[in-house]
Amino acid sequence: GGTFDRIHIGHEKLLKIAFEVGEEVIIGLTSDTKAKKAEAMRNFLNLKIDIKLETFLTKKFGNNFSIVKLNDDWGPGALDEDLDAIIVSEETEKVASELNKKRALEGLNPLDIVTVSLILDKKGEKISSTRIRNSEIDREGNKA
């Protein structure tokens, strides 16, 4: 899950692994409500349309995915007993561990946590949508 407002090579790596691991992938797209807690973002509908996330995913990975709105850190993973794994970056691994604690309280099996390492630019700094939005780097991590 994430904002995906600037799709970059880190997102692509995370999604590639998700599609390699899963038969069907659920992508959580941060809602307006959750985004306002973190930073100013475009609204959910415009975000989804503007970045053409569905088109990108279909072109790269096929049609075995769904996009859901994330209003919290948990998304569908908290209560869906049919899910088997969660794909996270190093930054969000703790959230996945907390999710498994929440699932245990609900009597659900824990999800396998697949952690994907961050992609760094030539300076050793993480590639992020925020840095792209701020015109520090491009989607490949090169200086903008």
Side-chain angles (χ1 to χ4, degrees):
T3 56
F4 296 101
D5 66 315
R6 303 288 194 280
I7 297 177
H8 54 72
I9 58 174
H11 290 132
E12 287 187 37
K13 179 180 178 183
L14 188 81
L15 291 165
K16 180 178 183 280
I17 291 172
F19 282 94
E20 287 172 357
V21 170
E23 293 175 20
E24 183 176 342
V25 176
I26 301 170
I27 295 120
L29 188 57
T30 302
S31 70
D32 299 342
T33 306
K34 183 165 170 40
K36 286 177 187 171
K37 294 176 185 175
E39 57 186 289
M41 297 280 170
R42 293 178 279 179
N43 71 50
F44 177 81
L45 182 59
N46 286 338
L47 178 61
K48 192 171 175 181
I49 291 170
D50 287 353
I51 62 168
K52 300 177 181 141
L53 182 57
E54 289 182 67
T55 303
F56 170 81
L57 291 166
T58 302
K59 183 177 176 183
K60 282 278 214 186
F61 306 109
N63 293 313
N64 60 333
F65 69 88
S66 58
I67 299 173
V68 299
K69 190 187 301 189
L70 282 181
N71 292 313
D72 56 32
D73 287 339
W74 315 118
L79 300 174
D80 190 334
E81 61 187 29
D82 295 328
L83 298 180
D84 298 315
I86 184 167
I87 316 303
V88 295
S89 70
E90 295 166 312
E91 290 183 313
T92 56
E93 188 172 24
K94 287 181 184 179
V95 174
S97 295
E98 291 299 317
L99 173 63
N100 274 340
K101 290 177 187 175
K102 185 173 180 76
R103 287 177 63 86
L105 292 173
E106 299 294 330
L108 299 171
N109 291 327
L111 298 174
D112 292 333
I113 300 173
V114 178
T115 305
V116 178
S117 59
L118 295 173
I119 295 184
L120 306 178
D121 66 12
K122 292 175 184 162
K123 289 180 166 180
E125 297 178 33
K126 75 173 183 169
I127 295 173
S128 71
S129 296
T130 300
R131 292 185 65 214
I132 296 168
R133 252 191 322 280
N134 292 339
S135 299
E136 296 173 35
I137 57 172
D138 65 14
R139 69 174 300 283
E140 303 287 331
N142 301 308
K143 188 173 179 172

